[in-house]
Amino acid sequence: VGFYAERVFPWLLDRAMNHPVLESLTREALAPAAGDVLEIGFGTARSLPLYGPGVASLTAIEPNQGMSARAQRRLAAARFPVHLHAGAGEALPFATAGFETVTLILTLCSVRDPAAVLAEARRVLKPGGQLLYLEHGVSRSARWQVWQRRFDPLQQILGCGCTFLRDPSALVAAAGFTHQRQQERVVQEMPGLAEMLPLTLGQATV
Ligand SMILES: C[S@@+](CC[C@H](N)C(=O)[O-])C[C@H]1O[C@@H](n2cnc3c(N)ncnc32)[C@H](O)[C@@H]1O
């Protein structure tokens, strides 16, 4: 992890994600979060003030120390206990069946092995537990898919591994989750960028 990934990218991400529409969609995705919650790919803790009132505690995991450093000021203002761990979603350092909710906010695009992360999310969820996510993915439009493929190598460099080309709801279903909600949104307030980053908001149970 170099200077760009640890210093520039967290700063950039904090600014790029500071869009009111993205904030309201994240709030909507996280509204059903309840009980002991695990967030995978915590970033700069942008999600923290957007959780609803049902959260008892939040455990978060994030591999990039530069992200976690920027998260500190938000941790201080949390309304519930927060435990931040260094590590990756592919090998969660948590006991089986320990959480009521697992959340993923714009993270499946960036992990090395999304199937392994989702299998770990299933493992740590209690029976009947829920996965909540807001993820961007591959466009349903063939025309925009061409642009996504064209720009993906650059996106992976600038976004520290982030790809345009995954299908988040298909990955969640393939991991054995059952969707209660799966809604795709092209955010018209971000013209051009919106079609490159179509969003899926999902709620699924084990
Ligand atoms: C686009 S950022 C989103 C951060 C945050 N969820 C947000 O919405 O602001 C993707 C995050 O996933 C993290 N990440 C990358 N690989 C990961 C992995 N294998 N396991 C967990 N998190 C990972 C990155 O370090 C980064 O913080």
Side-chain angles (χ1 to χ4, degrees), residues 4 32 44 47 92 111-112 139 143 145-146 162 174 182 186 192 200:
Y4 175 77
T44 59
S47 62
L92 294 174
V111 302
R112 187 179 38 78
S139 176
R143 186 167 76 91
Q145 272 182 29
V146 171
C162 170
Q182 175 189 339
V186 172
T200 304

Side-chain angles (χ1 to χ4, degrees), residues 88-138:
E90 287 87 350
L92 294 174
F94 308 118
T96 297
F99 296 98
E100 275 85 19
T101 307
V102 171
T103 65
L104 285 162
I105 304 295
L106 303 166
T107 289
L108 270 187
C109 52
S110 301
V111 302
R112 187 179 38 78
D113 184 344
V117 170
L118 289 165
E120 278 289 84
R122 276 197 78 178
R123 181 183 67 77
V124 301
L125 275 170
K126 291 182 180 172
Q130 57 174 350
L131 174 73
L132 304 174
Y133 65 90
L134 175 70
E135 293 288 342
H136 70 84
V138 66

Side-chain angles (χ1 to χ4, degrees), residues 6-185:
E6 274 209 6
R7 305 295 283 274
V8 181
F9 186 53
W11 175 85
L12 206 63
L13 197 77
D14 237 6
R15 264 141 201 82
M17 309 279 247
N18 201 12
H19 192 286
V21 176
L22 213 50
E23 187 175 307
S24 87
L25 285 175
T26 303
R27 196 187 293 278
E28 194 179 331
L30 296 176
D36 294 321
V37 179
L38 168 67
E39 180 167 337
I40 302 173
F42 196 46
T44 59
R46 200 181 52 84
S47 62
L48 196 52
L50 307 176
Y51 276 95
V55 177
S57 75
L58 179 71
T59 301
I61 190 156
E62 168 58 48
N64 182 334
Q65 291 304 302
M67 293 283 183
S68 298
R70 288 194 80 86
Q72 292 306 321
R73 67 191 161 89
R74 290 190 175 115
L75 294 191
R79 289 172 278 118
F80 37 73
V82 182
H83 314 284
L84 176 55
H85 297 254
E90 287 87 350
L92 294 174
F94 308 118
T96 297
F99 296 98
E100 275 85 19
T101 307
V102 171
T103 65
L104 285 162
I105 304 295
L106 303 166
T107 289
L108 270 187
C109 52
S110 301
V111 302
R112 187 179 38 78
D113 184 344
V117 170
L118 289 165
E120 278 289 84
R122 276 197 78 178
R123 181 183 67 77
V124 301
L125 275 170
K126 291 182 180 172
Q130 57 174 350
L131 174 73
L132 304 174
Y133 65 90
L134 175 70
E135 293 288 342
H136 70 84
V138 66
S139 176
R140 301 293 171 215
S141 142
R143 186 167 76 91
W144 280 103
Q145 272 182 29
V146 171
W147 285 105
Q148 287 182 314
R149 272 196 222 98
R150 208 168 274 169
F151 279 101
D152 204 56
L154 181 64
Q155 172 68 6
Q156 290 202 35
I157 294 168
L158 296 179
C160 292
C162 170
T163 171
F164 290 126
L165 303 175
R166 288 182 182 156
D167 183 336
S169 51
L171 285 164
V172 168
F177 286 92
T178 305
H179 275 103
Q180 274 72 52
R181 181 183 190 196
Q182 175 189 339
Q183 213 171 355
E184 294 187 18
R185 307 261 182 100

